[in-house]
Amino acid sequence: MRSGSRLLITLSLVSSILAGAGAATADTGIGGGSKTPPKPGQKTSGGSDNGTLSAGVIVYDRSKNGSGSSVGPVTSTTAWTPPACWYAPKYTPAQLKAYLEPIWNAESTGSQWDLEQRNKYEKGGDAPGTYKDFNKDKTGKGYWWDSYANESFPPGWDKCTEPIFWVDKGDPPPANVQNAVTPKILAELAYNEIRVPSTKVTLAPANTTKVNLPTWAWLDGAQFKPVSVTASVPVLGISATTTAEPISLKIDPGTADAQTYPASGVCQINGGRIGEPYAKGKANDTPPCGVKYLRSSGNGTYPLKATITWKIHWTGSDGTGDDLPDGTFGATQNVTVQEIQAVNR
C-alpha cells in the first residue's frame, strides 16, 4: 500500500469521524463491535484472544495514578514527547477483509490502487510481502497490525504511514517499523497518562505577606508520593509500568524583586517532605523553602508559581526498563505583599 494513498484515506476517515459520518458497515478491527471507524488512538479496555477480538488493543491501569480535580499531566523537561502515533494489532483476517472490501467496492481510491491492494492482501501469497485471502489460513495464529494515533491529534499523529502488515503470534514486529508496540513503546504511551497533584503551596504568613519578611513555603507531603500507570496489550501478553516520583519543588516568586530560599529556588524533597511548616518560635529562622519579597505588590499581587519535578522511569514485562525524561507540573497562586516598617511575630 502506498503511504501517500494510505495517508489520504486516513485523513478522509478522520474528516468523516469529525463530521459524524460513518461509512463502514462491518466491524473495523480489534476496536471491534463498532459499525463506524473508531477514532485513532481510541482507548478501550478488556479483550479476548479467541480469533475474533472484542475490545481495544491497549489497556491502561490507572488505579495507582494521581486522582482528584486538581491533578494534571506532566510536561517533559526535554524536547522528547510520547509517541503521537504507533502500530499495534488491529485486525483478524476476517476483520481486515471486512475493513478493506467496502473501500475497494466504493471505487473512490482509483482502480489501480484497488488492484494493487487486492494483489497484496487477497490474491497474493507467492511474492514476498503479499498474502492470500487476507491470511485466513492463519486465523488465531497472528494479527494484522496497523497504525493508531493519539486521540488529541498532536503534531506527528499522521506520520505512521506503513502499510498494514502481518505478525505471527510470538514474533516481534518488524525491526524497521518505528513505534510498533513493545514494552518500551507502551511505557512511553503510559507517560502520557500520568497525572500528578497540584502544587499550590502553603505559605506563612498566609495570603498576605510583608516586604523583607521571610515567607515559609511547604506542601502537604502526604499528597506527593509516587504514581504509576500500566499499559498492556492483552492479545500480545506484554505490558509496561511507568512510575513518576517527586524529587524537587521550584519556586518562582513572580517578580525579580524577591529572594528565594534556597537561592536557587529549588527545594529538594527529603523523606517525602517538601519544605517545612512554619511553627511558633521560628520567626528568626531562615526557612528551608520559601521566599522574601523586596518590594510591595502595590494594589495588585505577585503570581508565585510552584513547580514539582518528577523523576520518571519504567519497567517492562520482558525485564527491560529505563529512565524517561523528567516531567514537571506547576500551579500559580497570587500573593499580596504589603509595605510595613516594623513587624513583630
Side-chain angles (χ1 to χ4, degrees):
M1 184 180 294
R2 291 171 298 191
S3 60
S5 299
R6 284 200 65 237
L7 179 57
L8 178 60
I9 287 179
T10 301
L11 291 171
S12 298
L13 287 174
V14 171
S15 298
S16 297
I17 293 166
L18 296 177
T25 58
D27 287 355
T28 58
I30 289 177
S34 173
K35 300 300 181 182
T36 58
K39 291 182 179 180
Q42 184 175 9
K43 298 181 181 70
T44 53
S45 60
S48 61
D49 193 13
N50 59 9
T52 58
L53 299 171
S54 61
V57 64
I58 296 182
V59 177
Y60 293 98
D61 178 357
R62 303 179 181 86
S63 61
K64 297 180 180 179
N65 203 10
S67 60
S69 59
S70 65
V71 301
V74 295
T75 300
S76 170
T77 57
T78 72
W80 176 88
T81 57
C85 66
W86 59 91
Y87 299 92
K90 186 175 283 191
Y91 308 106
T92 63
Q95 289 171 333
L96 182 62
K97 178 179 181 179
Y99 171 65
L100 287 179
E101 284 194 334
I103 295 175
W104 299 340
N105 293 337
E107 298 182 351
S108 60
T109 51
S111 59
Q112 180 60 36
W113 184 87
D114 292 345
L115 177 61
E116 291 175 1
Q117 294 300 291
R118 287 189 182 276
N119 288 339
K120 181 178 180 67
Y121 295 106
E122 182 183 34
K123 302 182 181 300
D126 295 327
T130 66
Y131 309 89
K132 182 178 180 181
D133 198 18
F134 306 94
N135 257 6
K136 279 190 175 181
D137 62 333
K138 286 194 170 185
T139 297
K141 300 178 181 179
Y143 304 106
W144 289 105
W145 290 43
D146 199 5
S147 61
Y148 292 77
N150 185 310
E151 62 187 5
S152 64
F153 303 109
W157 72 267
D158 55 349
K159 300 302 183 183
C160 293
T161 56
E162 291 286 341
I164 298 170
F165 56 93
W166 177 268
V167 179
D168 286 331
K169 283 185 178 179
D171 287 352
N176 65 308
V177 178
Q178 293 185 355
N179 288 3
V181 288
T182 60
K184 182 176 185 293
I185 293 297
L186 289 176
E188 294 175 352
L189 293 174
Y191 187 110
N192 221 27
E193 303 299 316
I194 289 287
R195 296 294 181 269
V196 296
S198 173
T199 53
K200 183 176 181 180
V201 296
T202 302
L203 300 174
N207 302 319
T208 300
T209 188
K210 307 298 187 292
V211 172
N212 292 322
L213 176 66
T215 301
W216 293 57
W218 68 93
L219 286 162
D220 181 1
Q223 294 184 28
F224 291 88
K225 54 187 178 181
V227 298
S228 65
V229 172
T230 297
S232 63
V233 181
V235 298
L236 299 180
I238 62 174
S239 66
T241 298
T242 299
T243 301
E245 302 180 64
I247 56 174
S248 64
L249 163 68
K250 181 175 176 60
I251 292 181
D252 179 349
T255 173
D257 294 315
Q259 175 185 337
T260 57
Y261 304 99
S264 65
V266 177
C267 307
Q268 298 299 324
I269 296 176
N270 295 312
R273 187 169 68 179
I274 307 171
E276 182 180 329
Y278 174 77
K280 187 176 180 180
K282 294 183 177 181
N284 296 320
D285 294 352
T286 297
C289 185
V291 60
K292 179 170 69 175
Y293 286 96
L294 308 178
R295 186 184 298 272
S296 166
S297 60
N299 293 326
T301 58
Y302 290 127
L304 181 147
K305 184 173 184 179
T307 303
I308 291 285
T309 295
W310 298 76
K311 182 176 179 59
I312 302 179
H313 57 90
W314 65 277
T315 55
S317 55
D318 59 353
T320 56
D322 204 349
D323 291 334
L324 288 168
D326 290 349
T328 61
F329 183 61
T332 300
Q333 59 201 88
N334 294 324
V335 177
T336 300
V337 182
Q338 295 178 342
E339 185 76 51
I340 191 166
Q341 298 304 316
V343 177
N344 292 316
R345 290 208 290 182

